[in-house]
Amino acid sequence: MKKIHLHLVSDSTGDTLEQVAKASLVQFPGIEPVKHYWPMIRTARHMSRIIAEMEENPGIIMFTLVNHEIEKVLIESCKKNKWPYISVLQGIIHELGRHVGEKPTERPGLQHQMDDEYFDRIDAIQYTLAHDDGQISDNLLNADIILVGVSRTSKTPTCIYLANRGYRAANIPIVPGCPLPPELEKAREEGKFIVGLVNSVDRLVQIRRNRLLMLQENKTTDYVDEDLVKEEVKESRRLFSKMGWPVIDVTRRSIEETSVAIINMKNKFEEEKVTKSK
């Protein structure tokens, strides 16, 4: 393994920079980075003090700095010391400004402002946690997205991901022999956006068996009986077709891919509603 020192410099929390660095480094499995974090740098003077500390472990500099004075101090020092440096956001901000015809504010940390969007996201997370796995189903009319599916179709993690994107997401499990809550039918009649999730029989059986092993449950149950699981999947598809709900097969999808597909479906659903109302 080739060891390198990687300095992550930011005038905000450094979260964006950390994610970019992580996504980039995974492409180089032969590299072992020693990361040095330098967040919340708000003045050129502060930057100068940090540079003195960087000299103890010279390496590659990655930064997200929107203030030109701070950036100038860092780049000049990198050139003087012959340190390689990468500006993560500057090229994007410059090109974006050029295309939209606007000048950037150059104020750090704007993405972390506690504005209405932030509080809406917190509200969405609280709603989603309270409405997981069929809990408090009498409040489904306040949901932005409702997911329905048999056990182990990734309903909960998908809802959590959607909540972090600002959507109030509820999920309703399909349990053999148990009727769906009447509130779900009411939500359908009110035009709420409902999606059915399905998984392949083989994958469901595998996931359910692993779940039972985690719970140290060794007894044979209907929960993992292949024929019964096949019937569950068939019945769920029949229900989704009858209700006219869109269906997503999560067998080969990540949570992120499923969520993006749901968001795209919802946007199209809302557009069609507007078109019909005209």
Side-chain angles (χ1 to χ4, degrees):
M1 297 287 284
K2 182 179 179 181
K3 185 177 288 187
I4 64 166
H5 288 280
L6 181 64
H7 295 269
L8 304 177
V9 184
S10 176
D11 48 19
S12 187
T13 62
D15 292 343
T16 301
L17 185 57
E18 168 66 12
Q19 292 302 315
V20 172
K22 184 177 180 181
S24 302
L25 287 167
V26 75
Q27 301 296 325
F28 302 93
I31 298 295
E32 182 183 349
V34 179
K35 296 180 183 178
H36 305 269
Y37 297 93
W38 310 102
M40 306 304 289
I41 298 174
R42 295 298 173 84
T43 65
R45 192 173 182 179
H46 185 190
M47 186 72 259
S48 297
R49 292 200 302 269
I50 296 300
I51 289 167
E53 296 184 50
M54 286 181 182
E55 291 174 351
E56 297 177 11
N57 296 289
I60 300 172
I61 316 295
M62 288 182 67
F63 62 89
T64 51
L65 298 169
V66 296
N67 182 285
H68 282 310
E69 287 187 23
I70 300 174
E71 183 188 50
K72 182 180 178 183
V73 170
L74 177 60
I75 291 177
E76 286 180 353
S77 295
C78 287
K79 290 179 177 178
K80 177 183 176 183
N81 292 291
K82 297 183 179 179
W83 296 337
Y85 62 91
I86 304 166
S87 174
V88 172
L89 288 181
Q90 204 55 246
I92 298 172
I93 293 173
H94 173 76
E95 285 301 307
L96 189 58
R98 186 170 69 85
H99 286 295
V100 301
E102 295 285 339
K103 186 178 179 180
T105 63
E106 297 184 3
R107 287 173 54 199
L110 288 179
Q111 72 270 35
H112 299 292
Q113 284 189 146
M114 288 195 288
D115 52 13
D116 290 343
E117 183 179 345
Y118 171 85
F119 289 108
D120 286 344
R121 190 165 67 253
I122 296 300
D123 177 64
I125 292 171
Q126 291 175 339
Y127 177 92
T128 298
L129 292 174
H131 294 79
D132 179 44
D133 206 29
Q135 300 179 79
I136 321 180
S137 59
D138 58 345
N139 199 19
L140 286 180
L141 292 182
N142 288 328
D144 298 311
I145 297 170
I146 301 172
L147 304 184
V148 184
V150 301
S151 175
R152 304 293 114 184
T153 48
S154 305
K155 297 186 299 298
T156 295
T158 302
C159 281
I160 296 299
Y161 185 92
L162 290 168
N164 277 283
R165 294 288 296 271
Y167 295 94
R168 285 170 294 180
N171 71 79
I172 303 294
I174 299 175
V175 181
C178 296
L180 291 170
E183 292 80 12
L184 183 60
E185 174 60 23
K186 187 175 181 181
R188 185 182 74 87
E189 292 173 353
E190 292 289 328
K192 304 302 292 185
F193 181 63
I194 304 171
V195 178
L197 300 184
V198 295
N199 209 335
S200 70
V201 175
D202 292 344
R203 183 68 176 145
L204 277 177
V205 171
Q206 179 188 10
I207 295 172
R208 291 182 180 188
R209 281 177 178 163
N210 290 338
R211 175 67 173 168
L212 292 180
L213 286 174
M214 286 177 58
L215 298 173
Q216 297 183 335
E217 178 60 64
N218 298 317
K219 296 179 182 178
T220 302
T221 69
D222 293 348
Y223 188 61
V224 293
D225 183 283
E226 189 169 333
D227 290 333
L228 294 177
V229 173
K230 188 181 295 184
E231 190 59 31
E232 276 188 66
V233 174
K234 189 185 297 183
E235 285 297 320
S236 68
R237 285 187 176 276
R238 192 173 293 140
L239 170 69
F240 302 152
S241 177
K242 176 184 176 183
M243 296 297 183
W245 296 334
V247 178
I248 295 179
D249 189 331
V250 303
T251 306
R252 293 180 177 83
R253 292 177 185 261
S254 66
I255 300 302
E256 294 82 0
E257 289 172 327
T258 299
S259 300
V260 168
I262 290 170
I263 292 170
N264 288 337
M265 284 180 174
K266 177 173 170 53
N267 290 339
K268 185 177 180 181
F269 175 79
E270 297 297 338
E271 289 174 4
E272 290 175 352
K273 280 177 65 175
V274 171
T275 302
K276 288 177 181 178
S277 65
K278 289 182 179 179

